[in-house]
Amino acid sequence: MVKVFLFHRVSPQEDKLWPPISPRNFERIIRYIQRAFVLIPLSGLKDAQALRSARTPAVITFDDGYKDFIEYALPILKKYRVPSSCFVITDCTEKGVPPWTYALDYKFQHSAKSALSLNDEFLPEELKRPQWKNNLEKIHYAQKLKLFLKEQNNKHRMELCHQFNLAFDDIGLPQDMLMTWDEIRQIASDGVAIGSHTHTHPLLDKVESAEEIYRELEVSKNILQREVGQDIDVVSYPNGSYDHRVVEVAQQLGYQLGLAVEERSYHPSVVTHFDIPRISLFDESVLKTKLRTHEVIQRVKKIRNKLK
């Protein structure tokens, strides 16, 4: 059994839709994980010998490539000599803009608009012509919308995101959220393992054609290898979404590991190298983090769902 932990952002910045982990809390989490588990590098997931330990091995992963990784997370990881990995969205890095998930949150929180009118026949009625009396209503709408978008096929999601970008024409996107290529090369030279998080961050199981999946994984791999100067053989599926087509394409392209998000431990004897589950960690108390790392919260949630 291996614990593969997933982080995204470590920052003192406030965000009502997607709060990052505060640096102070992140340090507490890392100290606890270091005491409770044997931390191994990402490459250890490919090494059967490295996974045989008297204590449970654990791996630290970061998705998206936010700049706050190098500003706040990496100094703490270095302090405790913790190996880590970072999965990069190549198109976002090339353009210097955050992925659609963050962009949507940002626009809802910073736009002054209090109403929208959307032209989409497939949108549920409660999402078509929203009006908000206050920011709390706006946040609740954004949460519902994001869940809806994650269930749509990739083409439809892109069309809707484009509509929202046009509608929120009073606010632009921050240009300094992601690490630059120079910064990614720097963390790679510091020993951080670099992997693919696709080219444009689609939910891969919602991509219509195998050809588009191939492009997402191939372009990302090629750009990363060119920019970082290393072989890229691990892919992190955005939002943990994948299916058999994704696995087949990843294998064809020479990837050796595929990381999902299923909030449970990885058992190498049960699932393949392309179905590796990860446990997401958040800006929570150390007690709640402990319960989450040991999958207590996940088990309680399953029981509650069964009782509904």
Side-chain angles (χ1 to χ4, degrees):
M1 179 178 73
V2 188
K3 301 283 187 178
V4 185
F5 296 116
L6 168 60
F7 298 89
H8 284 87
R9 298 190 59 209
V10 176
S11 171
Q13 178 183 348
E14 292 187 6
D15 188 320
K16 294 184 183 300
L17 279 168
W18 191 36
I21 299 176
S22 72
R24 183 181 180 187
N25 205 18
F26 180 68
E27 185 164 4
R28 290 172 176 169
I29 292 169
I30 290 299
R31 283 205 307 264
Y32 170 71
I33 290 174
Q34 193 173 54
R35 290 195 305 269
F37 309 104
V38 178
L39 284 156
I40 63 173
L42 181 67
S43 59
L45 292 175
K46 296 177 280 187
D47 184 354
Q49 187 62 37
L51 302 183
R52 297 192 187 101
S53 172
R55 293 167 63 203
T56 302
V59 176
I60 302 295
T61 70
F62 279 78
D63 278 1
D64 297 345
Y66 287 99
K67 191 183 288 286
D68 51 43
F69 173 81
I70 201 168
E71 293 175 332
Y72 298 105
L74 189 57
I76 294 169
L77 295 168
K78 283 184 174 181
K79 177 180 177 179
Y80 294 96
R81 298 182 180 180
V82 172
S84 62
S85 54
C86 189
F87 293 89
V88 176
I89 311 164
T90 47
D91 184 60
C92 292
T93 302
E94 300 263 85
K95 295 176 179 175
V97 295
W100 69 270
T101 44
Y102 181 88
L104 198 69
D105 289 351
Y106 185 87
K107 291 215 166 188
F108 267 101
Q109 292 183 85
H110 292 84
S111 172
K113 298 209 170 182
S114 60
L116 291 177
S117 181
L118 302 169
N119 180 27
D120 189 283
E121 60 179 310
F122 299 108
L123 267 176
E125 284 302 318
E126 67 270 21
L127 297 180
K128 279 188 177 180
R129 294 175 182 82
Q131 294 185 9
W132 310 290
K133 296 177 183 176
N134 52 53
N135 283 335
L136 185 60
E137 287 187 2
K138 201 174 186 181
I139 294 298
H140 286 164
Y141 174 86
Q143 291 169 333
K144 290 180 182 179
L145 175 70
K146 199 182 220 181
L147 290 174
F148 174 80
L149 289 175
K150 288 181 178 181
E151 294 301 318
Q152 306 310 298
N153 66 56
N154 192 53
K155 183 178 179 182
H156 187 209
R157 176 190 60 78
M158 289 175 65
E159 290 172 351
L160 281 170
C161 284
H162 180 64
Q163 278 197 53
F164 278 99
N165 284 331
L166 292 177
F168 287 123
D169 56 2
D170 63 327
I171 187 75
L173 290 174
Q175 301 296 306
D176 59 351
M177 291 295 300
L178 301 181
M179 287 184 285
T180 65
W181 286 122
D182 282 343
E183 289 168 330
I184 292 169
R185 283 188 283 270
Q186 179 59 53
I187 67 171
S189 70
D190 285 340
V192 177
I194 305 299
S196 166
H197 200 37
T198 71
H199 186 51
T200 67
H201 201 258
L203 279 71
L204 290 169
D205 65 344
K206 301 293 191 298
V207 174
E208 292 83 351
S209 69
E211 291 77 13
E212 185 62 21
I213 294 172
Y214 194 97
R215 178 182 177 277
E216 284 288 335
L217 300 189
E218 181 188 40
V219 171
S220 173
K221 183 181 179 76
N222 290 341
I223 291 175
L224 283 168
Q225 290 181 162
R226 181 192 73 211
E227 294 292 343
V228 183
Q230 298 177 0
D231 183 37
I232 302 298
D233 62 4
V234 186
V235 57
S236 163
Y237 312 128
N239 292 98
S241 67
Y242 72 107
D243 55 23
H244 69 92
R245 302 173 304 156
V246 177
V247 171
E248 289 171 3
V249 168
Q251 290 174 324
Q252 291 171 19
L253 287 169
Y255 287 98
Q256 295 184 26
L257 299 174
L259 308 185
V261 187
E262 296 176 10
E263 311 305 339
R264 59 184 174 83
S265 300
Y266 169 45
H267 294 268
S269 61
V270 177
V271 299
T272 75
H273 281 174
F274 290 89
D275 304 277
I276 297 174
R278 290 182 292 175
I279 297 171
S280 305
L281 296 181
F282 308 98
D283 194 43
E284 301 172 321
S285 68
V286 173
L287 174 59
K288 198 165 184 180
T289 297
K290 290 179 181 179
L291 295 175
R292 199 177 293 281
T293 62
H294 293 286
E295 301 170 57
V296 176
I297 290 175
Q298 295 89 318
R299 287 195 291 271
V300 170
K301 187 176 180 180
K302 285 183 181 178
I303 292 170
R304 286 178 176 172
N305 289 337
K306 287 181 180 178
L307 294 176
K308 284 182 180 179

